[in-house]
Amino acid sequence: MMRLRPVSCILAATMVAFSAQADISLLTGPDNAPFTAATWPEQGIFTELVAAALAASPAPEPHSITWQDNWSSQPDLIKSKAYDMAFPWGQPGCEVTAADDVRCTDFHYSEPVIDVVILLFVRADDEFEFDQNADLAGRTLCRPSGLLTHDPNGFEAQWLPNDTVKLRQPQTLGACFDLLMAGRVDAVAVNEFQGVQHMFAAGLTEKVVPLTRPLATQSLHVVISKTHWRGTALMYRFNAGLAKLKQTGAYAEILSRHIAIYWERLKG
């Protein structure tokens, strides 16, 4: 099994930086368990996969990880090259997104690191039918702004019927579930890991259920600015390291280990 080098932790007012003698600087956000979280083993599934892929890449270089509380600041920080790469980002579907969308025109996306299923979480006493997209007409959904994708507008444009569904976007996932229990939204749209995790943490397992039909499947990526002077090379090397992880079985080992931790924490 690949061993990851320990890193030191430096606390600041709005961010936590993991520092090393680094040639590559990475940016992510906290409180996004099980994907990225300083309190999760190896700082999360995605964080460990990124570190392992960089270590397995051709001519690996030391890297640092900075934790920034404000997820929505990541695009500007990466575009300005304050940091080399950021994660995890959802790709907005550039084949159907407007040609001038900066998320498509300004950033390179890695090969998918993780695929997640987006589900609708509804009140157990609500007879919510979701057999086709048209069933969402007249409903109000909630999704935290910036969560994983940093793409609040893309959610509505790509996944919801035009002009038929209302979308609420508070800052936190907890706020969405509070609105759900207060009857102010009809469903919370979030990936299955974080939705189920919040159900258990908030004691809602008897009051909230996930619908079986997925709203979407979303791939999560590492991104880099297209104007970064090493952008193409760094992305090639990351993708090569990720492919090597999958070929050797290290990817499956990391994923299965974190999923086991996830379920153990739910039961605990």
Side-chain angles (χ1 to χ4, degrees), residues 18-258:
F18 291 85
S19 65
Q21 297 298 318
D23 295 319
I24 302 171
S25 59
L26 304 172
L27 181 65
T28 190
D31 303 323
N32 194 27
F35 303 103
T36 61
T39 57
W40 194 271
E42 303 297 346
Q43 290 81 54
I45 303 173
F46 209 100
T47 309
E48 183 172 1
L49 286 171
V50 168
L54 288 172
S57 67
E61 299 176 68
H63 68 273
S64 65
I65 298 176
T66 296
W67 302 78
Q68 169 61 265
D69 289 333
N70 185 3
W71 284 93
S72 61
S73 69
Q74 285 195 19
D76 288 339
L77 290 170
I78 296 302
K79 192 174 178 180
S80 69
K81 274 80 78 179
Y83 300 91
D84 294 315
M85 297 190 286
F87 65 89
W89 280 30
Q91 193 167 11
C94 295
E95 68 280 0
V96 296
T97 303
D100 60 351
D101 191 318
V102 297
R103 296 162 300 164
C104 297
T105 60
D106 293 358
F107 300 102
H108 290 300
Y109 290 78
S110 72
E111 291 297 316
V113 179
I114 294 177
D115 291 325
V116 295
V117 175
I118 309 299
L119 298 178
L120 291 178
F121 291 79
V122 304
R123 294 184 304 278
D125 60 1
D126 184 2
E127 296 182 1
F128 195 124
E129 293 185 2
F130 181 42
D131 297 321
Q132 55 187 346
N133 285 348
D135 292 335
L136 298 179
R139 295 287 194 173
T140 300
L141 307 187
C142 189
R143 179 169 180 266
S145 60
L147 183 63
L148 283 182
T149 64
H150 324 293
D151 178 22
N153 294 325
F155 175 81
E156 186 171 10
Q158 295 175 49
W159 296 346
L160 308 181
N162 292 332
D163 302 322
T164 62
V165 177
K166 294 180 180 179
L167 185 63
R168 296 284 300 271
Q169 293 187 286
Q171 291 296 311
T172 67
L173 181 58
C176 269
F177 276 93
D178 289 344
L179 291 171
L180 177 68
M181 298 313 300
R184 296 169 62 186
V185 301
D186 297 302
V188 176
V190 67
N191 71 78
E192 60 179 331
F193 285 105
Q194 292 177 310
V196 171
Q197 183 171 260
H198 187 83
M199 284 172 54
F200 277 80
L204 297 175
T205 56
E206 300 297 323
K207 298 178 181 179
V208 174
V209 295
L211 299 183
T212 56
R213 182 179 187 266
L215 185 63
T217 299
Q218 182 179 42
S219 59
L220 301 178
H221 307 257
V222 172
V223 298
I224 193 168
S225 171
K226 286 185 177 179
T227 61
H228 193 294
W229 71 280
R230 299 177 68 198
T232 301
L234 287 178
M235 194 57 73
Y236 165 79
R237 290 162 63 182
F238 176 83
N239 285 335
L242 182 63
K244 186 174 181 181
L245 289 185
K246 294 181 178 180
Q247 291 166 0
T248 62
Y251 178 95
E253 186 278 324
I254 292 171
L255 201 62
S256 63
R257 174 162 40 82
H258 280 279

